[in-house]
Amino acid sequence: MGRPLRPRGKLLQEDTRRHHRSLLLQQLFREGPASRADLARTTGLTRVTVSDLMAELVADGLVEELGAPAESRVGKPPTLVGLAADATHIIGIDLSATDRMTGAVINLAGEVQARHEVEIAGARGAAAVALVHRLATELIAMTDRPVLGVGVGSPGVVDAAGTVIDAPNLEWSETPLATSLADDLGLPVFVANDANTAVLGEHTFGESGDGGLMLLRVGTGVGAGLVLEGALLHGHLGAAGEIGHVVVDPDGERCACSRTGCLETILAVPHLRRRLEQHDSAGVLTSTGELLGAALAPVVGTLNLHELVLSGPAELLDGPLREAAERTIRERTMPVSSDGLVVRTSKLGEDVVLVGAAVLVLAGQLGVS
Amino acid sequence: MGRPLRPRGKLLQEDTRRHHRSLLLQQLFREGPASRADLARTTGLTRVTVSDLMAELVADGLVEELGAPAESRVGKPPTLVGLAADATHIIGIDLSATDRMTGAVINLAGEVQARHEVEIAGARGAAAVALVHRLATELIAMTDRPVLGVGVGSPGVVDAAGTVIDAPNLEWSETPLATSLADDLGLPVFVANDANTAVLGEHTFGESGDGGLMLLRVGTGVGAGLVLEGALLHGHLGAAGEIGHVVVDPDGERCACSRTGCLETILAVPHLRRRLEQHDSAGVLTSTGELLGAALAPVVGTLNLHELVLSGPAELLDGPLREAAERTIRERTMPVSSDGLVVRTSKLGEDVVLVGAAVLVLAGQLGVS
DNA sequence: GTTTGTTAGTTCAGCGCACTTACATATTCC
DNA sequence: GGAATATGTAAGTGCGCTGAACTAACAAAC
């Protein structure tokens, strides 16, 4: 039965070729170097087609020949081909911090090659956009390789075209960041919400499995991103993962959003740090984890999630809090939901958003992720 | 940016043709009859290609010429073509009731043409499978049209191949219902969980929008199905929507599953009816709705759902309970999540699963949904 | 009543893409 | 050294779409 997807539009022969190109890149990306004959076997394409596409990919500088493998068997020894991870670079930008914009030059393997950042220093609106332009330009100047594209993880709700619908901190509203950057830089630009960007990073480079993945980003605010059935979830109005102001404790603290007991009031780093100073540390972390677990149990059950990843200050998240959340979720969901569940912290640490921004570009430009 | 889907496999020219075939069927299915030239315009295909595909579809009996439209404008009047909704029939089967198996002959427009049912009368395991075979055979005999396929909504967890992993009531475990039926009947057979089936029915024939849709089925048990980004959510182990034994009230009633305060203990019809007899009716419905809303608020916020549909006895669901649930969800989520949300009862009533089973076939065989 | 303009649908040659078949090449096994 | 095995390339085939040109059928203008 698979996943019957509704046909989305006209399909050209050109699309077929791009699809197969991505198929091969994807294979090299996930499984590493292989011979053309191996690729033909795993993808189902013929050796002829694989050779043809490979010639194109080599010409584009995305793939390189690596010679014969060490060990040898009967028959003509194969020529390995592999992704030329460092022949092309990607610019990743993380706008989720409140005081600075960080960026990086990243290779096709998701490895950070260089970093750079600019202070926000109160820049808002158009000035903040100009700052992103500056950061991007400076990052592009830091690599001598062709740049595949620019990925940006921005706070706030971002639509599919890369327009920031609403980001209060930067005073952005209906700001067409992607098109503005693309016009300025002459490069493909992809913009998405920071939590969505982060979950893509974790999904692709965080050794995560193939099941549903939810990443909860805990910082000044709280937000989530989800990858379900292999694809990023956008939601009805592009606001999937906006979980920070879901009420988890009706008897809790008053929130700035006018509700009471929002998830942010117990979990956002400033609030959590403050409560840790005032009360018994282990108790606060445990009770916070329990409230989080209670809120997430219905989500885990409904989605039959495979992995729940916490991203944020490890000293806060990776201990009693995570354990209490995991325990609560298991207590509150049935075995068929919780048996397959993994609750862990991010393997990419502070770089999730940067690396995720690179994944935006990889997926958009190469069909790889 | 769209939705960068990872390439799933080799693409043949044949697939292109099938894709375009589905594209045209989809257009006729959703927008009704149109001229070939109109179809060419809306799909982006050329008139030549549309004509060619149409000839094929007419030959297959799926589409019929309807002559010229009444009103006329400049130029040669078009020939309308439309889906031949009654030239082919679909068999839909609903196994979610405890005492009987119901089935129907359904046309391509999702309209029930004939009904039939068999008593389960305690049949379990292989005997229950045989009963499904009998029901299917008898239904096929009730129509003189070619049968496009058989769709089955079964209780329990069902994998992508249509094998029922676990359905306690029927004592099925790893039961390959789809292949067994397909071999027996010589027809394509699609099996899915009843709640998943129902949500497909609602999505396709329930006048629902394009955003995320969650259908909560309230009966002897409680389960849900979700359509996100236009496609059915399966979940990591095929157990998406298994929400009946998520704990919503830790101080609640003991559940048969050994947990306390599962959603089923407050919402399943038998439990709810019992509580309604013992206490004030409005109060019970309202408090039940509030607990339901509290459990669903994190789900609604996380997924940025567009529609939440309750399916089950209308006299229980469509009143204070629905209102309390909706109010609670709105109180507990932020405007960006709740503004776009619609909470309603199913427009298909008792037939959701039957009609959804037909959608399984429509989607699987024609790529339409 | 004829001409003009517009739209619908078909015919035909051509092109892109992947496939099949066939072959050159390079190595191991006997 | 020859048979067997495997890789990668070359040539030709088939399928599906496209653009351009053509026929058909009508309304509006004169």
Side-chain angles (χ1 to χ4, degrees):
Chain A
M1 307 215 328
R3 186 165 210 242
L5 264 187
R6 196 176 304 157
R8 299 277 176 197
K10 180 167 75 159
L11 209 60
L12 270 49
Q13 289 150 294
E14 194 186 324
D15 297 314
T16 308
R17 194 155 179 90
R18 192 166 44 241
H19 176 94
H20 287 160
R21 201 181 132 106
S22 292
L23 192 63
L24 291 172
L25 283 172
Q26 179 76 19
Q27 183 67 24
L28 294 177
F29 182 73
R30 292 178 81 90
E31 307 296 332
S35 72
R36 291 170 174 83
D38 275 333
L39 290 169
R41 274 186 288 271
T42 51
T43 60
L45 296 167
T46 60
R47 293 204 305 272
V48 180
T49 306
V50 172
S51 283
D52 194 32
L53 283 162
M54 276 303 155
E56 204 178 289
L57 291 170
V58 169
D60 287 355
L62 291 169
V63 162
E64 56 196 0
E65 294 212 344
L66 302 171
E71 105 269 342
S72 82
R73 279 174 307 177
V74 181
K76 175 180 173 180
T79 318
L80 295 183
V81 287
L83 213 59
D86 280 296
T88 315
H89 282 159
I90 296 173
I91 306 301
I93 293 180
D94 177 359
L95 306 182
S96 67
T98 51
D99 55 339
R100 61 195 190 285
M101 298 175 172
T102 65
V105 174
I106 301 169
N107 70 8
L108 300 190
E111 295 156 351
V112 172
Q113 305 294 303
R115 294 172 192 275
H116 183 48
E117 60 182 56
V118 295
E119 300 291 323
I120 292 179
R124 294 289 181 271
V129 172
L131 211 51
V132 182
H133 283 231
R134 204 189 95 200
L135 177 58
T137 308
E138 289 170 356
L139 280 161
I140 292 168
M142 290 170 71
T143 173
D144 54 351
R145 311 295 157 84
V147 172
L148 189 61
V150 178
V152 182
S154 165
V157 177
V158 184
D159 76 6
T163 296
V164 180
I165 304 297
D166 183 52
N169 286 348
L170 293 166
E171 290 174 19
W172 284 347
S173 166
E174 304 285 344
T175 304
L177 190 59
T179 50
S180 144
L181 271 173
D183 289 349
D184 190 29
L185 304 172
L187 286 172
V189 176
F190 303 87
V191 182
N193 168 274
D194 60 330
N196 288 343
T197 305
V199 76
L200 282 176
E202 190 70 30
H203 176 66
T204 301
F205 291 112
E207 299 164 40
S208 76
D210 270 342
L213 169 65
M214 175 170 178
L215 180 138
L216 191 73
R217 238 176 109 61
V218 180
T220 318
V222 174
L226 294 102
V227 170
L228 298 177
E229 319 272 311
L232 183 65
L233 181 76
H234 291 101
H236 176 40
L237 304 170
E242 291 293 329
I243 199 184
H245 294 279
V246 166
V247 175
V248 297
D249 180 11
D251 307 321
E253 204 175 308
R254 186 88 180 173
C255 178
C257 75
S258 86
R259 263 172 291 272
T260 302
C262 293
L263 185 56
E264 282 198 8
T265 65
I266 63 155
L267 191 58
V269 171
H271 293 86
L272 189 52
R273 283 245 160 80
R274 183 164 38 75
R275 297 211 335 279
L276 283 171
E277 282 164 14
Q278 293 165 356
H279 305 88
D280 162 56
S281 164
V284 166
L285 289 173
T286 300
S287 66
T288 302
E290 284 167 355
L291 281 170
L292 176 62
L296 291 183
V299 177
V300 168
T302 301
L303 303 181
N304 188 209
L305 282 182
H306 181 204
E307 289 171 287
L308 173 61
V309 174
L310 305 179
S311 160
E315 74 276 15
L316 297 178
L317 302 178
D318 197 11
L321 196 155
R322 186 189 58 69
E323 286 156 20
E326 178 167 0
R327 177 170 41 75
T328 308
I329 291 172
R330 290 193 195 282
E331 283 169 4
R332 286 176 165 238
T333 55
M334 57 194 303
V336 70
S337 306
S338 59
D339 280 357
L341 179 72
V342 175
V343 180
R344 59 176 175 86
T345 47
S346 169
K347 308 219 164 156
L348 300 173
E350 289 299 302
D351 286 344
V352 242
V353 178
L354 283 177
V355 171
V359 174
L360 285 176
V361 178
L362 282 171
Q365 288 295 97
L366 305 183
V368 161
S369 67
Chain B
M1 309 213 331
R3 187 167 209 239
L5 265 186
R6 196 177 301 157
R8 299 277 178 198
K10 178 166 74 159
L11 209 59
L12 271 48
Q13 289 149 293
E14 194 186 323
D15 297 313
T16 306
R17 193 146 180 94
R18 192 165 43 242
H19 177 92
H20 288 159
R21 199 180 134 106
S22 293
L23 192 62
L24 290 172
L25 284 171
Q26 179 76 20
Q27 184 67 25
L28 294 177
F29 183 73
R30 292 177 81 90
E31 306 295 333
S35 72
R36 292 171 173 84
D38 275 332
L39 290 169
R41 273 187 289 269
T42 51
T43 59
L45 297 169
T46 61
R47 292 201 304 271
V48 181
T49 307
V50 172
S51 285
D52 194 31
L53 283 162
M54 275 302 153
E56 205 178 288
L57 291 170
V58 169
D60 287 354
L62 291 169
V63 162
E64 55 195 0
E65 295 210 343
L66 302 172
E71 103 272 343
S72 86
R73 280 174 305 176
V74 182
K76 175 181 174 180
T79 317
L80 294 182
V81 288
L83 214 59
D86 280 296
T88 315
H89 283 157
I90 296 172
I91 306 301
I93 293 179
D94 176 1
L95 306 181
S96 66
T98 50
D99 55 340
R100 61 197 190 285
M101 297 176 173
T102 65
V105 175
I106 300 168
N107 71 7
L108 300 191
E111 294 155 352
V112 172
Q113 306 293 303
R115 294 172 192 276
H116 183 48
E117 58 181 59
V118 296
E119 299 291 322
I120 293 180
R124 292 290 181 271
V129 172
L131 212 50
V132 181
H133 282 232
R134 205 189 93 198
L135 177 58
T137 308
E138 289 170 355
L139 280 161
I140 292 168
M142 289 171 71
T143 173
D144 55 351
R145 309 297 157 80
V147 172
L148 189 61
V150 178
V152 183
S154 165
V157 177
V158 183
D159 76 5
T163 296
V164 181
I165 304 299
D166 183 51
N169 286 346
L170 294 166
E171 288 174 19
W172 283 347
S173 165
E174 303 286 342
T175 304
L177 189 59
T179 50
S180 145
L181 270 173
D183 290 350
D184 189 27
L185 304 172
L187 287 172
V189 176
F190 303 87
V191 182
N193 169 273
D194 60 330
N196 289 343
T197 304
V199 78
L200 283 176
E202 191 69 29
H203 177 66
T204 302
F205 291 112
E207 298 162 42
S208 75
D210 270 344
L213 170 64
M214 174 169 179
L215 181 139
L216 192 72
R217 240 175 106 62
V218 180
T220 318
V222 173
L226 293 102
V227 170
L228 298 177
E229 320 273 310
L232 183 66
L233 180 77
H234 291 101
H236 176 41
L237 303 170
E242 291 292 331
I243 199 183
H245 294 280
V246 166
V247 174
V248 297
D249 180 11
D251 308 320
E253 205 175 307
R254 187 87 181 173
C255 179
C257 75
S258 87
R259 262 172 294 271
T260 302
C262 293
L263 184 56
E264 281 196 5
T265 65
I266 63 153
L267 191 59
V269 171
H271 294 86
L272 189 52
R273 285 243 160 80
R274 182 163 41 72
R275 294 209 338 278
L276 284 171
E277 283 164 16
Q278 294 166 355
H279 305 88
D280 164 56
S281 164
V284 167
L285 291 173
T286 300
S287 66
T288 302
E290 284 167 354
L291 281 170
L292 176 61
L296 292 183
V299 178
V300 169
T302 301
L303 303 182
N304 187 208
L305 282 183
H306 180 204
E307 290 171 288
L308 173 61
V309 173
L310 305 179
S311 161
E315 75 274 16
L316 296 178
L317 302 179
D318 196 11
L321 195 154
R322 186 190 56 72
E323 285 155 20
E326 179 168 359
R327 177 170 40 77
T328 308
I329 291 172
R330 291 193 195 282
E331 283 169 4
R332 285 176 167 238
T333 54
M334 57 195 303
V336 70
S337 306
S338 58
D339 280 355
L341 180 71
V342 175
V343 181
R344 60 177 175 86
T345 48
S346 171
K347 310 218 164 159
L348 300 173
E350 290 298 301
D351 286 345
V352 244
V353 177
L354 284 176
V355 171
V359 174
L360 285 175
V361 178
L362 280 172
Q365 289 294 99
L366 305 183
V368 161
S369 66

